[in-house]
Amino acid sequence: MELPFAENYRIKMVEPIYRSTREERENWIRKADYNLFNLRSEQVYIDLLTDSGTGAMSDRQWAAVMTGDESYAGSSSFFNLKDRVEQLFGFEYMLPVHQGRAAENVLFSVLVKEGNIVPGNSHFDTTKGHIEFRKAKAVDCTIDEAFDTTIDHPFKGNIDLEKLQLVLETYPKDQIPMIIVTVTCNTSGGQPVSMQNMRDVKQLADAYGIPVIFDSARFAENAWFIKQREEGYADKTIKEIVREMYSYADGMTMSSKKDGIVNIGGLLAMHRKDWFDQATVYNIMYEGFLTYGGMAGRDMNALAVGLDEATEAEYLEARISQVHYLGNKLIEAGVPVQRPLGGHAVFVDARRFLPAVPQEEYIAQTLAVELYLEAGVRGVEVGTLLADRDPETHENRYPGNEFLRLAIPRRTYTNNHMDVVAAGLINLFERRDTIRRGFKIEHEAPIMRHFTVGLKKVD
């Protein structure tokens, strides 16, 4: 018989997790104002809230931690990371930061001004938040296929070139500081961007004199899908694919807590020295000195190793296979999910799952709470709560998709855990007609409200 697939690692250390009762969970989630971010970690059995900073580091990474250079200025750990970034992405200038939103804060402090227009492919929450905080506007130019979860388009993260060109023709050049390409595109379901689309976006941007920035949290997973799905890349290594990807970018922001496989950290990299010189001012103000920028030397060492490990095909095959293991179990049971399955998470189509719940009662959040009550599994809403309010009208923005995102940490859970997640969702799906009401907001922050919002059940 053919040998089955198995992960390319073995487990060296374990961490106990608590299996709670439904009665306990009902009490905990009520005290948390029905916001899963407010739960204590020990109140969660399987935590799929995010894949950010929640993965397991390798023995090589832990060994690198022990040789971290904690010098305030000019540490060898910084130069280890700088060299890795230049080898992998091709950028000469690099600033470390404490996480991805910090990279956005530093770069946008340089480039984004009030009244600016920033087109891209379904900007994620912190990206849009940093843009709108500066009284600029994020314009979504994602292809229409991304918003139909039943379509098997191989690159649903792609930018629609006609939508992008309309933006570039409508607004003057000095009003558009950049085009943001998110790889993979989280908000559309962890969907990849094709190499051809990156190439076309860069060509169009160059014609209008607009720089291109890659939001790079899950760049390695994007490269994996290019290798699997795009003609001409099957025989290329992941590192070769990554190097070509970034030849179509003028700069990058990165939360290293995803495809850097570390618990904290991020970076900002670019070709242009004038951007770098301006960014250093904000990096010193907000993060720390240029050669640590909010990261310990040991964490920069671990990140340098993690970037190497994350761009190996064997690692990516194991990582994405687990995501697809869960996704295929749900598909077989008829549970509606974003198709094709993406890289870091399974995105459940909450609107199709709970058609009786009104959208103004936060469908995906309703499903997330129900899954926690059913199985102790914590996911996250990527829907109306995350979409926030329109900064001008202050009305809810209703996005094209209402997703429950089940983000799987790297090298952390077994497929037995995925079986529990699948069983919990399938149980809910079988009695979905009994779930007819959702939540209303009791209190919310003026921006990025989903992190701290308080909710109450609708009677």
Side-chain angles (χ1 to χ4, degrees):
M1 63 182 294
E2 183 178 351
L3 294 176
F5 171 80
E7 291 81 4
N8 67 325
Y9 58 86
R10 58 188 180 190
I11 298 167
K12 184 175 287 188
M13 184 180 74
V14 296
E15 175 186 3
I17 51 178
Y18 176 62
R19 284 193 291 182
S20 57
T21 66
R22 185 180 179 97
E23 183 180 8
E24 287 175 317
R25 295 193 293 273
E26 287 174 347
N27 180 48
W28 291 335
I29 194 66
R30 183 175 62 253
K31 289 182 177 179
D33 291 334
Y34 298 98
N35 181 346
L36 286 96
F37 283 97
N38 290 338
L39 292 170
R40 296 169 63 101
S41 62
E42 59 265 31
Q43 295 169 342
V44 176
Y45 180 41
I46 300 172
D47 201 345
L48 307 186
L49 180 78
T50 181
D51 61 319
S52 179
T54 56
M57 293 202 302
S58 70
D59 54 350
R60 287 179 59 214
Q61 288 179 286
W62 282 111
V65 164
M66 299 307 295
T67 59
D69 178 358
E70 305 304 337
S71 301
Y72 187 94
S75 78
S76 61
S77 297
F78 167 79
F79 289 103
N80 288 341
L81 178 57
K82 182 181 184 299
D83 290 345
R84 179 74 70 198
V85 168
E86 188 166 0
Q87 291 165 10
L88 193 56
F89 302 107
F91 293 115
E92 181 180 356
Y93 301 104
M94 187 275 291
L95 290 169
V97 293
H98 77 273
Q99 63 184 86
R101 68 196 63 183
E104 292 171 339
N105 186 36
V106 170
L107 181 64
F108 294 1
S109 294
V110 174
L111 297 182
V112 180
K113 306 294 185 275
E114 183 176 344
N116 281 176
I117 302 296
V118 185
N121 55 339
S122 296
H123 314 68
F124 200 56
D125 55 357
T126 61
T127 314
K128 184 180 289 184
H130 278 298
I131 292 168
E132 293 181 347
F133 179 74
R134 290 165 172 81
K135 298 183 179 180
K137 183 178 181 181
V139 178
D140 189 354
C141 296
T142 315
I143 60 173
D144 291 339
E145 290 89 340
F147 304 103
D148 185 341
T149 59
T150 65
I151 295 175
D152 276 313
H153 188 291
F155 293 102
K156 280 185 173 179
N158 280 359
I159 285 180
D160 186 311
L161 297 174
E162 292 184 2
K163 292 180 184 178
L164 178 59
Q165 184 156 9
L166 180 60
V167 173
L168 300 181
E169 289 176 349
T170 302
Y171 299 94
K173 172 184 172 181
D174 60 4
Q175 202 172 340
I176 307 174
M178 72 186 92
I179 298 164
I180 295 178
V181 183
T182 307
V183 290
T184 58
C185 187
N186 191 358
T187 308
S188 66
Q191 297 294 311
V193 180
S194 72
M195 191 75 82
Q196 185 62 54
N197 191 247
M198 296 178 204
R199 192 179 298 121
D200 291 342
V201 167
K202 179 59 174 165
Q203 184 176 1
L204 183 59
D206 285 348
Y208 285 84
I210 308 295
V212 176
I213 302 295
F214 281 8
D215 179 343
S216 309
R218 299 174 180 90
F219 74 98
E221 292 171 9
N222 201 104
W224 170 261
F225 286 117
I226 289 173
K227 182 177 177 67
Q228 298 300 310
R229 297 178 182 175
E230 192 161 359
E231 186 177 354
Y233 290 92
D235 296 328
K236 290 186 178 293
T237 68
I238 297 298
K239 287 180 170 64
E240 288 171 337
I241 294 171
V242 168
R243 190 59 182 258
E244 183 181 345
M245 286 169 56
Y246 283 84
S247 71
Y248 306 123
D250 297 287
M252 64 179 286
T253 59
M254 183 180 182
S255 168
S256 304
K257 299 165 68 177
K258 286 84 168 176
D259 275 351
I261 332 180
V262 290
N263 304 125
I264 196 69
L267 59 90
L268 169 63
M270 62 208 75
H271 291 303
R272 290 178 52 169
K273 189 175 186 301
D274 58 330
W275 286 0
F276 176 78
D277 289 341
Q278 295 174 70
T280 59
V281 176
Y282 294 103
N283 216 64
I284 291 172
M285 286 173 58
Y286 299 137
E287 294 296 300
F289 188 62
L290 309 183
T291 57
Y292 76 90
M295 292 182 72
R298 55 184 174 269
D299 293 318
M300 288 189 283
N301 265 8
L303 174 54
V305 175
L307 290 171
D308 182 49
E309 292 182 353
T311 48
E312 291 297 328
E314 294 81 4
Y315 156 78
L316 286 165
E317 181 180 19
R319 191 280 185 281
I320 294 174
S321 290
Q322 186 172 61
V323 176
H324 288 202
Y325 176 86
L326 173 59
N328 287 325
K329 275 190 165 294
L330 297 177
I331 290 171
E332 289 166 9
V335 176
V337 302
Q338 172 69 295
R339 303 178 69 165
L341 296 168
H344 69 288
V346 176
F347 286 70
V348 181
D349 187 337
R351 186 185 282 113
R352 290 167 58 207
F353 195 112
L354 297 178
V357 177
Q359 192 169 17
E360 62 269 21
E361 294 180 11
Y362 310 107
I363 308 169
Q365 182 69 13
T366 302
L367 182 55
V369 170
E370 290 289 341
L371 178 60
Y372 174 71
L373 292 173
E374 178 71 20
V377 175
R378 176 162 64 171
V380 71
E381 185 256 21
V382 179
T384 301
L385 272 182
L386 183 140
D388 246 319
R389 295 186 184 273
D390 185 285
E392 295 177 359
T393 67
H394 305 292
E395 297 295 325
N396 273 337
R397 288 186 286 209
Y398 294 105
N401 290 316
E402 292 280 351
F403 285 134
L404 165 60
R405 188 188 73 174
L406 303 170
I408 300 175
R410 293 159 182 80
R411 304 188 290 209
T412 300
Y413 291 113
T414 69
N415 283 352
N416 285 343
H417 294 105
M418 299 302 105
D419 290 339
V420 172
V421 178
L425 267 173
I426 292 167
N427 289 346
L428 290 175
F429 190 63
E430 290 174 349
R431 56 180 176 84
R432 62 192 181 278
D433 292 339
T434 66
I435 306 170
R436 309 189 66 83
R437 302 310 300 265
F439 295 95
K440 60 182 178 181
I441 291 177
E442 288 273 271
H443 60 82
E444 62 183 297
I447 194 167
M448 289 189 276
R449 63 183 180 182
H450 57 292
F451 288 114
T452 57
V453 69
L455 300 168
K456 184 178 180 180
K457 281 186 175 181
V458 174
D459 295 330

